Amino acid sequence: MKWDISKIKEWKYYEHPQASTILDAGNAENYETGGWRSQRPVRNTEKCTQCLICYIYCPDSSIMVEKEEVVGFDLKHCKGCGICAEECPKDAITMVSEADLAKEGE
Amino acid sequence: MAKTVALTGNSACAYAMRQIDPDVVAAYPITPQTAIVEDFATFVANGNVDTEYVTVESEHSAMSACIGAAAAGARVMTATSSQGLALMWEMLYIAASLRLPIVMHNVNRALSGPINIHCDHSDSMGARDSGWIQIFSENAQEAYDNTVQAVRIAEAAQVRLPVMVLLDGFIISHAIDRIELLDDEVAKHFVGEFKPVYPLLDVRNPVSWGPFDGLHGYYFEHKRMQEEAMKRAKGVIAKVADDYAKISGRSYQFFETYRLDDAQFAVIVLGSTAGTARVVVDRLRESGVPAGMLKLRVFRPFPAAELIDVLKHLKAVAVLDRSEPAGGLGGPVFTEVRSAMYYLDQSPLIANYIYGLGGRDVGMFDIMKVYSDLHDFVEKGTVEKVINFLGAKE
């Protein structure tokens, strides 16, 4: 079921579904929490052994995995908690400050 | 063929529950409600109903389980009192805001402390802002009739709000009264089949219930919708009562008046005390006092317009509250009635009598004193003491 909430800011009060029910499954994916980050994970592909422990521990399902291999981080949802870096048995992940990255970009 | 039996208020409620045969009952015992869920448990054990009976560890769990079941798509009922109602307080708000048509008996019992198991209305009055529809019963017959009607009221598409059916602890719940029961088939047909809204068990149409609605959310809009549903409930309560009159021969309105049309003094009362008040009215009328009384049945939504219409001709009104003002301008019923009277150009004198707290008995002579006070107020042209305590040892 695709629930169109693109105009939700304009809905009159009675246009909302009854009881604040969300008429969709899994649409939390559309809510981007990446903007909350103050540091982001960076993976050293040489050190990474593809054990997938970071994927298991990530509380936001933000480790992107394809064919049982880590391919990247979902920066739209990663909140920068650093649990992946903490849990990685090979220290293959480091947390880099967003402020520093932003400065570099300038 | 309707049959007439002798049942306690609690048994009458359980009997109605048996006829309704809800999908789920999750309940916890508490005096003076226990017999409702206990009787019902017997029906479950004997196979008289198909209900899934969930024995939980507290009233908070009871309401939580009821909410879960109702959201899943089940017709749900339960019962509680006093501390039990207080314990499930946060869940009451959830049940109402999730617009779940749960029907619950609350057998009115005083809230502790001190610990008291007897009748007063402080428990349900404490929950008057929870968003539940509240319907008071004067006796076992009304408790039974209100239960059957409550299911239809709660489940009406334009309402979808939980309903609390209230009956006085011990006075109604434990006293055996003569009541007329509907036939099983008639009752079952009246409540009809349950139609769930966005049931969780419908996995082809997945939904999420009870999400976080803060930050840039729409909490205010959802609450607004809830308030509209409460407004629409008034019309539905009246319609359901009309339909119920057709199958039972008993009519119900938002309130019941007794010798009020030509009265000058009246008392407004909820629950079993109405019976005593009626006797007092008759006695006073015999001595030529133009007394009348009004028994309020629906407290939430509060029928202000209808009430002031029948009260406006009176010289003085006393509102009897069976729960304390707690620092407010009077008991809950008084503050609502007086607020409603603000709409009138000329309103009767109005006074508040707090009575019967902790089950303190209120008798004919107490109520006669109230009418005598009303007479004095009218003579003097003013209400000397707005809030009075009737029956406390002062």
Side-chain angles (χ1 to χ4, degrees):
Chain A
M1 189 201 295
K2 199 73 194 77
W3 186 37
D4 182 9
I5 56 166
S6 52
K7 299 260 178 11
I8 193 169
K9 287 204 174 114
E10 291 145 46
W11 289 359
K12 302 264 188 326
Y13 75 87
Y14 47 81
E15 291 177 294
H16 285 262
Q18 198 175 83
S20 66
T21 310
I22 294 180
L23 304 180
D24 210 342
N27 70 346
E29 204 181 338
N30 301 332
Y31 190 67
E32 294 184 7
T33 50
W36 304 5
R37 233 179 11 249
S38 57
Q39 55 179 9
R40 74 168 65 171
V42 171
R43 184 174 67 108
N44 182 331
T45 49
E46 312 269 292
K47 288 191 184 165
C48 172
T49 61
Q50 299 293 359
C51 67
L52 296 186
I53 282 177
C54 57
Y55 162 79
I56 292 167
Y57 272 91
C58 175
D60 287 319
S61 307
S62 292
I63 310 283
M64 299 188 324
V65 169
E66 272 162 39
K67 294 205 182 82
E68 291 184 27
E69 290 204 344
V70 175
V71 297
F73 302 100
D74 177 0
L75 291 177
K76 289 212 169 119
H77 292 100
C78 167
K79 295 200 194 88
C81 69
I83 287 174
C84 54
E86 176 71 26
E87 295 299 328
C88 176
K90 294 295 174 192
D91 292 330
I93 302 179
T94 41
M95 300 306 290
V96 175
S97 144
E98 288 283 347
D100 289 348
L101 284 171
K103 269 209 206 102
E104 263 175 46
E106 276 163 26
Chain B
M1 272 289 300
K3 59 179 180 176
T4 307
V5 297
L7 283 178
T8 59
N10 279 348
S11 294
C13 291
Y15 195 98
M17 286 172 75
R18 180 187 66 72
Q19 292 181 312
I20 292 163
D21 194 0
D23 297 309
V24 174
V25 165
Y28 190 84
I30 183 170
T31 304
Q33 158 282 108
T34 307
I36 299 180
V37 296
E38 204 173 37
D39 269 16
F40 190 75
T42 312
F43 295 138
V44 175
N46 290 342
N48 299 128
V49 288
D50 291 321
T51 312
E52 182 73 31
Y53 193 91
V54 187
T55 46
V56 288
E57 66 276 16
S58 80
E59 285 88 350
H60 183 276
S61 302
M63 187 47 65
S64 303
C66 287
I67 288 167
R75 175 180 272 160
V76 181
M77 293 180 79
T78 187
T80 194
S81 291
S82 171
Q83 305 310 108
L85 187 70
L87 190 57
M88 58 163 78
W89 196 71
E90 66 154 343
M91 305 314 291
L92 293 177
Y93 281 73
I94 302 211
S97 58
L98 289 186
R99 310 288 300 280
L100 296 168
I102 299 171
V103 172
M104 174 167 75
H105 292 105
N106 183 69
V107 181
N108 283 113
R109 161 186 151 177
L111 279 172
S112 311
I115 305 177
N116 183 298
I117 57 169
H118 295 281
C119 173
D120 82 23
H121 296 161
S122 53
D123 56 356
S124 61
M125 288 302 171
R128 66 196 192 265
D129 294 338
S130 60
W132 283 61
I133 291 170
Q134 294 189 328
I135 300 179
F136 278 80
S137 317
E138 185 193 331
N139 49 40
Q141 180 72 68
E142 292 203 354
Y144 172 81
D145 290 336
N146 284 336
T147 307
V148 179
Q149 292 176 69
V151 177
R152 277 268 294 268
I153 295 167
E155 294 175 9
Q158 24 349 3
V159 177
R160 299 310 279 205
L161 286 171
V163 177
M164 219 182 268
V165 174
L166 298 147
L167 53 151
D168 285 349
F170 285 108
I171 304 169
I172 304 177
S173 65
H174 283 62
I176 297 182
D177 205 348
R178 175 187 180 282
I179 89 164
E180 203 178 280
L181 302 166
L182 300 169
D183 272 348
D184 285 0
E185 281 316 304
V186 175
K188 195 98 183 87
H189 185 258
F190 185 80
V191 299
E193 212 183 285
F194 181 61
K195 296 184 191 62
V197 170
Y198 304 135
L200 285 166
L201 285 177
D202 180 5
V203 296
R204 284 160 305 180
N205 294 304
V207 292
S208 287
W209 279 74
F212 177 65
D213 197 5
L215 292 178
H216 312 291
Y218 303 92
Y219 178 92
F220 209 163
E221 282 69 29
H222 293 121
K223 279 300 177 200
R224 188 78 187 76
M225 286 177 85
Q226 202 183 322
E227 215 40 52
E228 285 302 308
M230 189 52 105
K231 266 206 240 162
R232 292 191 297 261
K234 257 181 76 180
V236 171
I237 291 170
K239 172 90 186 32
V240 172
D242 281 344
D243 290 345
Y244 194 75
K246 296 194 185 99
I247 59 155
S248 67
R250 293 181 290 280
S251 321
Y252 287 89
Q253 275 86 42
F254 302 125
F255 47 77
E256 193 186 282
T257 61
Y258 186 68
R259 303 181 88 161
L260 195 66
D261 295 342
D262 59 339
Q264 284 178 17
F265 314 106
V267 145
I268 296 178
V269 68
L270 277 66
S272 60
T273 310
T276 315
R278 242 181 247 113
V279 173
V280 170
V281 166
D282 282 344
R283 283 280 181 100
L284 289 171
R285 285 280 184 165
E286 276 165 33
S287 346
V289 177
M293 83 108 186
L294 184 146
K295 175 189 83 186
L296 188 62
R297 171 176 173 250
V298 180
F299 181 67
R300 280 284 185 270
F302 191 78
E306 291 80 1
L307 251 176
I308 56 177
D309 198 42
V310 300
L311 295 176
K312 60 183 193 269
H313 68 282
L314 297 163
K315 291 220 168 97
V317 174
V319 181
L320 265 53
D321 264 299
R322 204 159 192 166
S323 54
E324 62 272 30
L329 297 181
V333 188
F334 173 76
T335 50
E336 298 280 7
V337 174
R338 192 163 74 164
S339 182
M341 297 232 191
Y342 190 74
Y343 293 120
L344 293 171
D345 294 321
Q346 178 120 54
S347 93
L349 293 173
I350 178 165
N352 193 199
Y353 286 80
I354 310 297
Y355 78 101
L357 299 187
R360 174 64 51 86
D361 200 20
V362 59
M364 269 176 44
F365 298 107
D366 298 307
I367 300 186
M368 275 184 174
K369 180 192 176 309
V370 173
Y371 281 100
S372 159
D373 283 357
L374 290 178
H375 183 265
D376 289 346
F377 295 151
V378 174
E379 293 258 296
K380 297 195 178 106
T382 182
V383 177
E384 287 156 311
K385 200 150 151 271
V386 179
I387 302 177
N388 304 275
F389 292 88
L390 191 67
K393 304 193 200 304
E394 309 224 345

